[in-house]
Amino acid sequence: QVQLVESGGGLVQAGGSLRLSCAASGRTFSHYAVGWFRQAPGKEREFVAAISWSGSSTYYVDSVKGRFTVSRDNAKNAVYLQMNTLKAEDTAVYSCAGSGSAYYYTGRENDYGYWGQGTQVTVSS
């Protein structure tokens, strides 16, 4: 079992930055890929980014490429999402999730078995 807790959300002006953290506890965290997902009001949850268990591979949805960076520190059991040049359309609840699947990079929710509760990110225009 892996427990995930997100933090770092908040209110920021458009063009600003936030760094989200995903803290893990439980089973060996370094064995899992981690994805970030977001859900805006009235919309389906969508894949944002993912990072392999080693941190050597990262994947992003097109809308955040060049603005968001996912990283991890397995010694600290943590994954981060650095979000720069934020836009109003980035407003959502952001959740991290752990995956033991080889297909984690596709962003399919069914490949992720462990989920955090989420943290709210609000970007004012």
Side-chain angles (χ1 to χ4, degrees):
Q1 190 76 9
V2 174
Q3 292 79 42
L4 302 174
V5 179
E6 303 91 341
S7 61
L11 174 64
V12 64
Q13 288 189 333
S17 299
L18 280 175
R19 187 194 195 204
L20 305 184
S21 297
C22 175
S25 61
R27 295 180 66 181
T28 307
F29 175 67
S30 61
H31 291 179
Y32 293 87
V34 174
W36 285 96
F37 295 76
R38 66 185 180 186
Q39 186 167 22
K43 294 188 177 181
E44 296 287 320
R45 185 160 55 187
E46 68 167 344
F47 169 77
V48 176
I51 188 166
S52 63
W53 66 270
S54 66
S56 61
S57 298
T58 57
Y59 304 88
Y60 301 92
V61 67
D62 285 347
S63 60
V64 307
K65 284 180 180 177
R67 300 190 298 122
F68 290 12
T69 303
V70 59
S71 62
R72 69 189 297 162
D73 185 341
N74 285 339
K76 296 183 178 179
N77 280 357
V79 173
Y80 308 100
L81 185 66
Q82 178 67 44
M83 305 186 296
N84 298 328
T85 319
L86 283 161
K87 305 176 181 179
E89 51 264 42
D90 294 319
T91 294
V93 174
Y94 284 72
S95 300
C96 62
S99 174
S101 169
Y103 300 101
Y104 71 92
Y105 59 91
T106 65
R108 296 181 308 184
E109 293 186 25
N110 287 346
D111 286 315
Y112 289 81
Y114 304 101
W115 292 82
Q117 292 299 308
T119 184
Q120 176 70 47
V121 172
T122 303
V123 184
S124 62
S125 57

